[in-house]
Amino acid sequence: MNIPGEREIRSWFIGALAEKLAVPRAEIDTTVPFAELGLTSLQGVRMSDELSRWLGVAVSAGVVFDYPTIDLLARHLFSEISDGDSTEMTEASDPGDEDAGESLEDIEQLLRLLDEDAGGDGHGETE
């Protein structure tokens, strides 16, 4: 497995976030919390899933909440994948694995329910 460096992880996340938020890459400040950049919880979970596929290892759905900036997240992920002794990350299952898709759907459904309880419209956000 070719392990990306911290800089590559940071660059991937800047590009993915810029695309998701429809802003130029140059507007993404890697020291500003994701929530302040405009990333919603549902988008964060989806980005964790995309990141997992890109890295080829399972990434916790809540990692963007535990490490709330691109710099913190890139540093953490690089440390985890280069260590090879991670407790949070394991080899990713086949991207076509039905269980992985079901887990993401369960998380998205839970986030929608939480949004409804918080007074949202329950429809989540559009991308």
Side-chain angles (χ1 to χ4, degrees):
M1 176 164 110
N2 187 16
I3 298 173
E6 187 176 328
R7 181 179 289 159
E8 288 175 279
I9 295 169
R10 185 179 295 111
S11 179
W12 180 91
F13 217 96
I14 290 169
L17 189 59
E19 182 179 322
K20 187 138 326 247
L21 299 177
V23 298
R25 287 176 63 100
E27 288 186 20
I28 303 294
D29 183 338
T30 61
T31 64
V32 173
F34 296 122
E36 288 181 33
L37 291 171
L39 188 71
T40 67
S41 56
L42 184 54
Q43 288 172 321
V45 169
R46 288 181 178 158
M47 288 194 76
S48 295
D49 183 55
E50 293 167 18
L51 185 60
S52 180
R53 285 191 302 253
W54 179 70
L55 289 172
V57 295
V59 175
S60 164
V63 75
V64 296
F65 306 108
D66 296 335
Y67 302 90
T69 70
I70 291 173
D71 284 347
L72 291 173
L73 181 59
R75 189 172 306 120
H76 166 73
L77 290 173
F78 176 70
S79 172
E80 290 291 317
I81 61 177
S82 64
D83 191 9
D85 176 37
S86 170
T87 56
E88 281 188 46
M89 301 172 70
T90 58
E91 288 294 321
S93 56
D94 181 343
D97 184 349
E98 291 178 23
D99 290 338
E102 288 175 12
S103 296
L104 182 58
E105 290 173 13
D106 291 343
I107 292 168
E108 289 176 347
Q109 183 177 14
L110 177 61
L111 288 170
R112 284 188 195 95
L113 291 171
L114 290 171
D115 183 45
E116 288 174 10
D117 287 345
D121 62 12
H123 298 292
E125 75 291 321
T126 58
E127 293 184 46

